[in-house]
Amino acid sequence: MYDVIVVGTRVSGAPLAMLLARQGYRVLAVDRAQFPSDTPSTHYIHQAGLGFLKSWGLLDRVTATGCPPVRHLNFTYTDIDIRGMADPADDGIDAVYCPRRTVLDKILVDAADEAGAEVISGFTVTGLLRDGDRVVGVRGRVGDGAEKEFRATLVVGADGSGSTVAKEVGAQVYEGSPAACFVYYSYYEGVDWGMQHRTGFGEQQFAAWPTNDELYLVAVMRKRDRFREFRNDPDAGVQEIVEQIDPEIGARLKDSGRRVEPFRPMLYPDNYRRRSFGPGWALVGDAGYHKDPFTGWGITDSFKYAQLLADLAGESLAGGRPFEETLPEYQRERDAQSSSTYELTTSISELSLTPYYDSVFRATSMSPDYSKKFFGLIAGLYSPDKFFGEAELAELYELVDFPVDARHVSKSEAAL
């Protein structure tokens, strides 16, 4: 009998298992993958996410893999160009990192194992065990082996957007919107462009950042209705998008860039929040909450809400408040804390800006100080309420002498 069973041991499940095991609970963590293994990902970890790794004693392991730090960021939207970097976080973190998931996930799984969690890789969950309407465990098997059953006080699904646990418990979506785009990405040699996040005219984007093994991840994004034509010749499609957005970088890609691995095509899952708790179960990471990867918040949010769930579930396991109080609080807090990044991400991931965001970002690009605040906002270090505050925006527009008829200080006013 375990205190907690965690299904899925990547960037949500492994930290959750590690944190609960460090509290002294008996934890079983299972995943159908064997580690190290890959999974589609932005790779991007914001300063706020790196802060969790540092607090867990794992940041040095990530940096020791040779993944380069990034200390200058570039965000463009059509002809709007914002450059800079957030101030260092309170814990001194002054960079972002984009480690490969073969590297990061193995570090996290190993940390869970070292903390005392029992980790079973290659384990496929085939169903949940129930006592009445309460989930009390899982059943599954390793490979073609015999089916086994494991019981626990709490079962947590950390098994991604296609979560088996979410399907088994019938977790309903209560907020959502359709995904807008597809992405193709791969790894390249001969590319040294610095950090790029470039959205051009024609509703298309490319992004690039350094990762392990002296490689760059290069990704392109377009609306979903163009997926079929793009996949006929993705190398030509990547070249075309980069050239159209930045001819100079496009020429450098053509002259010296070389793709060294297969493409990873991905049609984004929809944006959603699912009910993430019930009798004997909870969901964390993409199993319970997913948004477009445009702002690169997936890994950081996974860390943040794994920590939140570990704290609240640990309170109940210790004999404090019952799960009937702590698990609803987990969902409420997750939704409240993620509301601003969720709204921002779904608003700008359409690859076209509303008048409100156009004016805010355009004015931001004209102020080095506000550009620094912008990257602090994206990094999770600067309050959205202050960045998008009406008084703050009015002051920004005045400072940069922005055209009066284009000044929007609220979304509702911009929609009139």
Side-chain angles (χ1 to χ4, degrees):
M1 178 74 177
Y2 296 90
D3 295 306
V4 180
I5 296 173
V6 181
V7 180
T9 60
R10 292 194 182 271
V11 292
S12 296
L16 177 65
M18 174 194 72
L19 292 165
L20 289 170
R22 286 180 178 180
Q23 293 181 44
Y25 299 112
R26 190 175 182 211
V27 180
L28 171 65
V30 301
D31 199 298
R32 63 186 178 187
Q34 298 280 354
F35 294 90
S37 66
D38 210 355
T39 190
S41 174
T42 66
H43 299 39
Y44 195 95
I45 310 178
H46 291 282
Q47 285 162 273
L50 296 170
F52 285 103
L53 287 176
K54 185 173 183 177
S55 71
W56 301 336
L58 302 178
L59 180 56
D60 287 346
R61 297 191 192 185
V62 173
T63 60
T65 66
C67 184
V70 177
R71 294 190 172 90
H72 185 80
L73 304 180
N74 179 321
F75 178 93
T76 73
Y77 229 114
T78 59
D79 59 335
I80 301 169
D81 192 346
I82 306 174
R83 298 171 185 264
M85 186 71 189
D87 285 328
D90 291 341
D91 51 17
I93 295 172
D94 64 350
V96 298
Y97 289 85
C98 306
R100 292 198 64 158
R101 294 296 296 272
T102 50
V103 172
L104 176 64
D105 293 4
K106 181 66 162 59
I107 289 172
L108 296 172
V109 170
D110 287 348
D113 179 69
E114 292 163 11
E118 183 180 345
V119 179
I120 305 177
S121 297
F123 184 93
T124 299
V125 171
T126 56
L128 302 181
L129 307 179
R130 288 181 169 84
D131 182 0
D133 66 349
R134 187 172 193 85
V135 174
V136 296
V138 303
R139 68 170 61 90
R141 59 172 58 89
V142 175
D144 296 327
E147 193 170 69
K148 296 182 178 180
E149 295 184 351
F150 300 101
R151 295 179 177 268
T153 303
L154 179 68
V155 173
V156 179
D159 46 344
S161 59
S163 169
T164 297
V165 176
K167 291 174 183 175
E168 287 282 322
V169 299
Q172 296 297 308
V173 171
Y174 57 88
E175 180 180 358
S177 61
C181 298
F182 71 86
V183 64
Y184 261 75
Y185 75 88
S186 190
Y187 304 92
Y188 287 73
E189 293 178 338
V191 171
D192 186 12
W193 306 338
M195 170 73 189
Q196 302 288 334
H197 196 282
R198 312 286 296 276
T199 303
F201 294 97
E203 297 182 332
Q204 55 189 8
Q205 185 221 33
F206 83 84
W209 36 77
T211 187
N212 297 90
D213 304 320
E214 299 183 351
L215 298 176
Y216 259 68
L217 181 152
V218 177
V220 296
M221 181 192 305
R222 273 183 174 164
K223 288 294 186 73
R224 290 170 71 101
D225 59 7
R226 302 175 70 181
F227 179 70
R228 186 179 298 274
E229 69 173 83
F230 188 91
R231 66 183 182 182
N232 290 331
D233 190 351
D235 281 306
V238 170
Q239 184 66 46
E240 177 188 51
I241 291 174
V242 176
E243 282 182 354
Q244 289 180 355
I245 296 176
D246 191 314
E248 180 186 347
I249 290 180
R252 291 163 62 185
L253 173 62
K254 188 173 184 178
D255 290 343
S256 60
R258 186 172 72 89
R259 179 170 59 85
V260 297
E261 295 190 23
F263 278 112
R264 276 73 165 177
M266 180 168 54
L267 285 168
Y268 297 166
D270 290 341
N271 306 290
Y272 58 79
R273 298 187 193 276
R274 288 184 182 131
R275 179 175 173 83
S276 296
F277 69 92
W281 63 272
L283 303 176
V284 70
D286 284 353
Y289 154 59
H290 176 269
K291 60 184 176 299
D292 192 287
F294 187 88
T295 50
W297 260 84
I299 296 174
T300 298
D301 270 355
S302 291
F303 292 169
K304 183 176 183 178
Y305 302 120
Q307 179 74 69
L308 176 65
L309 181 56
D311 292 342
L312 289 168
E315 184 180 343
S316 294
L317 290 167
R321 290 185 297 154
F323 284 114
E324 288 75 14
E325 292 182 17
T326 57
L327 294 184
E329 181 177 338
Y330 155 69
Q331 180 174 294
R332 287 195 305 270
E333 280 298 305
R334 180 200 66 187
D335 289 358
Q337 292 177 25
S338 64
S339 62
S340 59
T341 52
Y342 185 86
E343 190 276 332
L344 173 65
T345 301
T346 55
S347 295
I348 67 177
S349 62
E350 295 281 342
L351 304 184
S352 59
L353 292 178
T354 64
Y356 170 77
Y357 282 116
D358 186 281
S359 62
V360 171
F361 293 162
R362 197 172 295 277
T364 295
S365 72
M366 300 165 67
S367 167
D369 182 59
Y370 223 78
S371 293
K372 185 178 291 189
K373 293 176 182 177
F374 170 81
F375 288 113
L377 168 76
I378 297 298
L381 306 176
Y382 196 82
S383 167
D385 293 339
K386 291 184 66 177
F387 184 87
F388 292 109
E390 294 187 10
E392 286 80 4
L393 290 179
E395 182 179 346
L396 168 65
Y397 292 139
E398 193 66 28
L399 175 68
V400 301
D401 195 24
F402 205 69
V404 174
D405 60 353
R407 298 182 182 188
H408 299 300
V409 296
S410 72
K411 298 185 186 72
S412 58
E413 176 265 343
L416 296 177

